[in-house]
């Protein structure tokens, strides 16, 4: 037996290796020298075109475009949807920097909507703002999906186009409909920390002929759109090809080769992720002072991370939990930090855009803690992580409850 409390030694940023099949396919692409997606031998169909066809089939979308990043998918989608400089674009206040970044990249202005304790867009608040914009870039941040039936009904009635940011919902669904298939376009990321890993990369899916043709030309297809498999008919491109600016952001064959075998495994991987999520959730259930995030029955999530709330806690107590867990090897991210750290940033740190007053979001973010659950963690690892968090949260909670300022616990 060792002395002292148990300590976790795994790495929260270590993903699994690329499947051998993907490595072999990538080596094949390198041997061919034909890395550019449109550099194909006579009769050859490139890896990117095949990947697009496979991703369209997986999501049930008519069309798919693979691009250089999730951020590129969103900017390409916004341009394809006709967003112009100066236009306001609605988005959740709880999201990651590439989302408001994509809006700003097309010269548009993010208009943030409050989030709920369930970590999804506040539909009541959204309803009051629908008259202010014609596009909503909805972020399923950390894989939490709002009531999509209600959201689509509200947006359709108001004539607001919905573009989904599915960076954390690949393989997920709402009420059986795949994430990314409710809105007019869905954007995905294949960056290392998402569900499939090509270092960088992304997808855009849609059933809309004109928007997809605009997206394909806009992502840099030159006049080679005929080499796509999951694309609208050639006639749709005829007029558009003269008016859509080329902003090169294509995916290359090397990345597509890495991704194709990963895509085939996505369902199994989703189960493995959710098993890890369930172990952490069980381990933290009924911890005094800690709330779990409620997940509705219609939400078919694929969890690659875990969130919990220390609602109403004093800042010094949250900091104390962070440092005590860190001392035992458990890296928690805190969305309440006034200073943005690593991947966690807040709407008020994106100062290129107007910073509104969002009291409900502020209260949620102040108590929001987040941890990654890479598939390199075993179920035992996840149980240990939950034990450590539970113990440290309880110690800080009890110390505060026993102190002279119990009111601070809210
Ligand atoms: C990662 C991420 C993206 C896309 O990121 P890229 O790094 O550009 O691929 C978009 N939205 C959210 C919420 C993300 O976490």
């Amino acid at each position: 037996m060792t002395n002292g409390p148990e300590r976790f030694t795994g790495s929260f940023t270590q993903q699994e290796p690329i499947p051998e099949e993907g490595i072999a396919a990538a080596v094949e692409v390198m041997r061919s020298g034909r890395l550019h997606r449109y550099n194909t031998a006579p009769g050859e169909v490139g890896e990117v075109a095949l990947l697009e066809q496979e991703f369209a089939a997986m999501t049930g979308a008519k069309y798919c475009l693979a691009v250089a990043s999730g951020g590129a998918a969103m900017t390409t989608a916004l341009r394809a949807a006709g967003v112009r400089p100066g236009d306001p674009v609605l988005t959740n206040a709880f999201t990651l920097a590439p989302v408001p970044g994509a809006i700003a990249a097309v010269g548009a202005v993010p208009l943030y909507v409050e989030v709920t304790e369930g970590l999804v867009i506040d539909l009541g608040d959204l309803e009051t703002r629908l008259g202010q914009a014609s596009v909503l870039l909805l972020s399923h941040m950390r894989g939490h999906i709002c009531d999509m039936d209600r959201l689509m009904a509200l947006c359709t009635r108001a004539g607001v186009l919905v573009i989904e940011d599915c960076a954390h919902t690949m393989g997920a669904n709402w009420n059986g409909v795949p994430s990314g298939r409710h809105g007019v376009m869905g954007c995905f990321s294949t960056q290392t920390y998402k569900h499939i890993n090509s270092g960088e990369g992304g997808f855009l899916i849609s059933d809309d002929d004109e928007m997809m043709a605009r997206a394909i030309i806009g992502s840099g297809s030159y006049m080679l759109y005929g080499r796509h498999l999951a694309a609208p008919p050639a006639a749709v491109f005829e007029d558009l090809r003269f008016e859509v600016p080329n902003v090169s952001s294509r995916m290359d064959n090397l990345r597509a080769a890495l991704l194709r075998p990963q895509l085939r495994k996505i369902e199994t991987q989703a189960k493995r992720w959710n098993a890890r999520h369930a172990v952490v959730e069980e381990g933290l259930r009924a911890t005094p002072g800690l709330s779990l995030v409620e997940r509705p029955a219609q939400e078919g999530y694929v969890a690659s991370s875990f969130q919990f709330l220390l609602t109403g806690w004093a800042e010094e107590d949250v900091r104390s939990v962070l440092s005590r867990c860190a001392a035992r090897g458990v890296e928690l991210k805190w969305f309440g930090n006034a200073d943005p750290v690593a991947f966690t940033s807040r709407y008020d740190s994106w100062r290129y855009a107007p910073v509104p007053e969002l009291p409900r979001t502020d209260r949620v973010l102040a108590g929001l803690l987040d941890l990654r659950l890479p598939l390199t963690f075993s179920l035992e690892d996840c149980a240990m992580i939950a034990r450590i968090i539970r113990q440290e949260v309880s110690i800080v909670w009890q110390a505060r409850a026993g102190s002279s300022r119990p009111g601070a616990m809210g």
Side-chain angles (χ1 to χ4, degrees):
M1 277 304 292
T2 52
N3 295 317
E6 61 183 350
R7 193 173 187 289
F8 183 65
T9 55
S11 163
F12 284 80
T13 51
Q14 183 60 55
Q15 303 290 32
E16 291 188 300
I18 302 299
E20 286 303 324
E21 216 189 321
I23 295 173
V27 168
E28 199 55 42
V29 169
M30 288 190 280
R31 291 224 162 91
S32 79
R34 294 187 295 278
L35 274 69
H36 193 284
R37 66 167 298 164
Y38 299 122
N39 184 199
T40 49
E44 182 186 36
V45 179
E47 290 281 333
V48 180
L50 291 167
L51 174 68
E52 287 167 342
Q53 195 176 41
E54 289 157 3
F55 195 71
M58 183 186 115
T59 53
K62 269 166 91 171
Y63 311 127
C64 174
L65 171 69
V67 289
S69 70
M74 291 185 287
T75 49
T76 306
L78 290 168
R79 283 187 289 122
V83 173
R84 313 285 306 174
D87 286 355
V89 174
L90 293 158
T91 192
N92 327 26
F94 174 48
T95 186
L96 204 75
V99 178
I103 297 170
V106 301
V109 184
L111 206 63
Y112 301 111
V113 183
E114 294 261 34
V115 295
T116 69
E117 291 68 22
L119 306 185
V120 296
I121 195 163
D122 181 331
L123 294 179
D125 190 49
L126 174 66
E127 202 169 356
T128 68
R129 296 175 201 262
L130 282 172
Q132 298 168 36
S134 52
V135 174
L136 164 66
L137 179 54
L138 173 68
S139 184
H140 305 299
M141 178 62 169
R142 290 295 188 265
H144 297 272
I145 307 175
C146 73
D147 181 339
M148 289 304 295
D149 300 320
R150 201 174 143 222
L151 177 130
M152 288 311 300
L154 290 174
C155 291
T156 306
R157 196 181 331 132
V160 169
L161 275 185
V162 178
I163 300 174
E164 295 179 71
D165 163 27
C166 305
H168 301 158
T169 53
M170 189 180 288
N173 70 79
W174 174 266
N175 227 346
V177 177
S179 189
R181 296 289 295 134
H182 293 87
V184 68
M185 285 188 270
C187 304
F188 297 80
S189 171
T190 65
Q191 186 239 75
T192 294
Y193 301 110
K194 312 298 161 100
H195 292 112
I196 58 177
N197 173 13
S198 58
E200 301 283 358
F203 294 116
L204 201 159
I205 57 170
S206 185
D207 283 354
D208 188 281
D209 283 7
E210 184 180 328
M211 279 189 221
M212 197 45 134
R214 284 182 184 278
I216 290 172
I217 302 172
S219 76
S221 66
Y222 309 106
M223 295 297 158
L224 298 166
Y225 44 77
R227 297 194 192 167
H228 285 244
L229 297 176
V236 184
F237 291 85
E238 287 301 308
D239 296 330
L240 294 173
R241 66 198 172 128
F242 298 111
E243 63 173 74
V244 178
N246 177 118
V247 183
S248 293
S249 43
R250 297 167 297 270
M251 182 179 280
D252 58 81
N253 285 330
L254 191 54
R255 283 170 202 193
L258 301 175
L259 291 172
R260 291 182 64 210
Q262 296 182 58
L263 204 56
R264 289 196 277 277
K265 292 206 311 187
I266 191 104
E267 269 183 49
T268 329
Q269 299 293 79
K271 289 196 183 103
R272 295 176 62 213
W273 257 302
N274 286 351
R276 283 154 183 74
H277 186 272
V279 168
V280 176
E281 189 169 48
E282 268 322 296
L284 292 181
R285 201 175 286 290
T287 305
L290 179 153
S291 344
L292 297 173
V293 178
E294 296 298 330
R295 308 205 77 153
Q298 300 96 316
E299 186 191 19
Y301 57 87
V302 181
S304 56
S305 62
F306 192 92
Q307 292 72 43
F308 62 90
L309 294 158
L310 301 178
T311 306
W313 283 47
E315 189 173 320
E316 64 197 276
D317 292 338
V318 177
R319 287 189 191 281
S320 172
V321 167
L322 288 173
S323 59
R324 296 183 68 100
C325 286
R328 295 179 65 184
V330 174
E331 256 179 65
L332 299 175
K333 309 278 185 203
W334 179 39
F335 280 92
N337 205 328
D339 204 37
V341 182
F343 280 89
T344 48
S345 55
R346 298 163 42 92
Y347 71 93
D348 52 6
S349 48
W350 304 317
R351 294 184 198 156
Y352 50 80
V355 177
E357 298 260 325
L358 297 170
R360 186 169 189 191
T361 301
D362 289 343
R363 185 171 155 82
V364 172
L365 296 183
L368 179 58
L369 293 156
D370 174 47
L371 60 145
R372 286 203 177 101
L373 292 176
L375 290 176
T376 49
F377 288 1
S378 66
L379 296 178
E380 292 69 36
D381 289 339
C382 294
M384 187 200 283
I385 290 166
R387 268 197 310 277
I388 291 172
I389 296 171
R390 187 184 187 94
Q391 286 161 5
E392 298 305 332
V393 164
S394 302
I395 288 168
V396 177
W397 171 263
Q398 276 158 20
R400 178 48 62 105
S403 81
S404 56
R405 289 178 292 151
M409 309 302 286

